[in-house]
Amino acid sequence: MLVRLKQLKFFDPPSINILRDVRQCTDIRINHCMFFMNGLAPCLPKPQTAADSALNGMIFYSKLQTEDGHWSGDYGGPLFLMAGVPADGVLLCTEAVGQATMELREKLYTQAYDTINWASQRNNVAPGDMYTPHSRALDWSYRVLNTYEPWHVKKLRSWAVSECLDHIRADDQFTDCISVGPISKVIQMLVRWHADGPDSEAFKTHVSRIPDYLWALTSAQAFLEAGAYIDRRFSDCMKALHRCFKETQVPENPPNYSKYYRQMSKGAFPFSTVECGWVVSDCMAEGLKSFMMLQEKCSDLNDEHVEDQRMLDCVNVLLKMQNTNGGYASYETKRGGAILEILNPSEVFALPYKLLICLS
């Protein structure tokens, strides 16, 4: 096997150490090695020009396409912030939930769990993570909530919990238990486990959709803009990508979506899969641009073109997402006001509301 690896001209010899001591290698090298061992890497000629080098890259990239036409993400799409999913699995995939919780507490915290002053943790943020400092109004609200919590009104609390559960169930219905990302996915999976039980269909569906976080389609635009549609060697690749776009486009709006603060999405290209269905402005714009390029440039797709109305549906959603200032938010349309921004508790985020990326 080592001889075979050495015969690959563009496989660096240090990566062979993976076979000798995996623990000393990075994940990138492990993936690199497994890719070559599985015979997936093409043997490419040494490039003589920049164009030759670009062509080699396109051929290599085409081999990474999955059977349904997309390119799996390594850290793209909703794959970010995945740390919660393994922790969730520790809690859920064991019968001794109490014991697992205690073990996690010992591993996660630097002091005894029972001695932590949780009220003060709302402002305990590392300086490097404080991208958006707290407003005085938010800090004041925290003090009020800390005082209210021990004496909360039970009837009001019960109504609030019921309302939250209704929104969680609606999101699970809209996204087939995928949710918008792994953070909400983890929380909602735990909630459904607690509210509906470990044997419920809702919780089982949540567990079954965890692998969906290995999905990305935005890489298609770079591949198309590099001119892949010109070369006949990429014909099958383009056909698979076109089918993937057709299947990924959202067919209908979520039911009663405005009640649950969702964006209209019929015709849009979502953040990840069509089952997830969450719409993000730049992902949708890139998806529309790529889909149009495929239909306009690839002659092999003449018999597979979709009707213009599907393109118009996407344009309609994109226009509806434009803010009053003429630009686009990085996610959905701005629906909250300045007062809501003052109470924004997300220290690591500051979402822009005047992006021009979609206008191009």
Side-chain angles (χ1 to χ4, degrees):
M1 185 178 294
L2 291 176
V3 174
R4 170 57 182 152
L5 290 174
K6 291 177 180 178
Q7 289 175 346
L8 296 172
K9 296 180 180 179
F10 49 100
F11 183 79
D12 55 319
S15 294
I16 299 175
N17 291 330
I18 297 171
L19 302 175
R20 298 172 183 160
D21 191 354
V22 174
R23 295 180 181 177
Q24 296 180 0
C25 298
T26 64
D27 288 340
I28 294 177
R29 287 190 178 275
I30 292 173
N31 291 335
H32 190 187
C33 180
M34 294 306 297
F35 186 71
F36 285 89
M37 288 170 61
N38 291 332
L40 298 176
C43 292
L44 302 173
K46 184 177 180 179
Q48 302 299 321
T49 64
D52 292 341
S53 181
L55 179 60
N56 280 352
M58 293 169 66
I59 294 173
F60 183 89
Y61 193 62
S62 68
K63 301 300 181 181
L64 301 177
Q65 188 180 31
T66 61
E67 63 276 3
D68 58 8
H70 84 282
W71 279 274
S72 297
D74 205 23
Y75 195 66
L79 193 62
F80 67 101
L81 302 174
M82 282 286 283
V85 174
D88 208 7
V90 172
L91 290 172
L92 299 174
C93 299
T94 177
E95 296 180 0
V97 177
Q99 180 181 353
T101 302
M102 297 301 294
E103 292 177 356
L104 277 177
R105 288 177 179 177
E106 292 179 3
K107 293 179 180 296
L108 293 175
Y109 303 109
T110 58
Q111 68 185 85
Y113 182 84
D114 295 335
T115 66
I116 298 175
N117 181 359
W118 288 107
S120 66
Q121 301 310 309
R122 288 193 171 104
N123 292 305
N124 184 15
V125 183
D129 293 333
M130 187 60 82
Y131 187 74
T132 304
H134 292 179
S135 66
R136 292 183 179 179
L138 179 62
D139 288 337
W140 179 84
S141 299
Y142 281 161
R143 288 192 289 269
V144 172
L145 290 173
N146 290 337
T147 304
Y148 169 78
E149 182 61 27
W151 315 99
H152 65 268
V153 180
K154 292 183 178 180
K155 187 174 181 179
L156 181 61
R157 173 63 56 83
S158 177
W159 171 83
V161 170
S162 177
E163 186 73 9
C164 286
L165 183 58
D166 178 49
H167 279 256
I168 287 173
R169 285 174 171 158
D171 187 62
D172 285 346
Q173 177 190 359
F174 298 160
T175 66
D176 198 16
C177 294
I178 298 175
S179 193
V180 66
I183 296 178
S184 57
K185 164 74 173 177
V186 167
I187 295 173
Q188 291 176 196
M189 186 158 59
L190 278 171
V191 168
R192 298 307 295 268
W193 171 77
H194 176 76
D196 303 310
D199 296 325
S200 64
E201 286 300 319
F203 175 70
K204 290 179 180 178
T205 304
H206 259 293
V207 173
S208 70
R209 300 317 298 259
I210 291 176
D212 285 77
Y213 281 93
L214 299 173
W215 183 277
L217 190 60
T218 53
S219 306
Q221 184 176 345
F223 197 55
L224 288 167
E225 291 185 343
Y229 52 84
I230 300 174
D231 197 314
R232 297 287 299 179
R233 284 174 287 186
F234 301 115
S235 178
D236 291 339
C237 181
M238 295 295 96
K239 289 180 180 179
L241 179 59
H242 188 257
R243 288 195 302 270
C244 186
F245 269 114
K246 289 197 297 184
E247 295 171 359
T248 304
Q249 191 176 18
V250 178
E252 296 292 342
N253 293 316
N256 206 13
Y257 63 91
S258 24
K259 175 185 176 182
Y260 298 102
Y261 310 104
R262 288 290 299 270
Q263 184 81 43
M264 65 172 293
S265 55
K266 180 181 179 181
F269 294 96
F271 191 33
S272 57
T273 63
V274 67
E275 290 90 349
C276 173
W278 275 94
V279 176
V280 180
S281 58
D282 56 351
C283 294
M284 179 170 53
E286 291 171 4
L288 176 62
K289 183 177 180 179
S290 298
F291 203 14
M292 292 176 64
M293 286 181 67
L294 275 169
Q295 300 224 134
E296 292 175 2
K297 304 292 186 181
C298 298
S299 57
D300 292 340
L301 302 176
N302 289 337
D303 297 333
E304 302 179 31
H305 281 193
V306 300
E307 58 274 17
D308 292 340
Q309 185 59 47
R310 289 182 59 171
M311 302 292 187
L312 293 175
D313 287 340
C314 186
V315 173
N316 184 44
V317 179
L318 200 56
L319 291 175
K320 291 286 186 182
M321 295 184 74
Q322 190 173 24
N323 291 320
T324 54
N325 60 17
Y328 287 82
S330 55
Y331 278 76
E332 294 186 327
T333 308
K334 181 180 179 181
R335 294 191 284 270
I339 295 178
L340 187 61
E341 286 293 331
I342 293 175
L343 297 176
N344 178 19
S346 301
E347 299 94 353
V348 296
F349 289 113
L351 300 180
Y353 298 111
K354 200 173 182 180
L355 293 178
L356 302 179
I357 182 173
C358 299
L359 299 178
S360 64

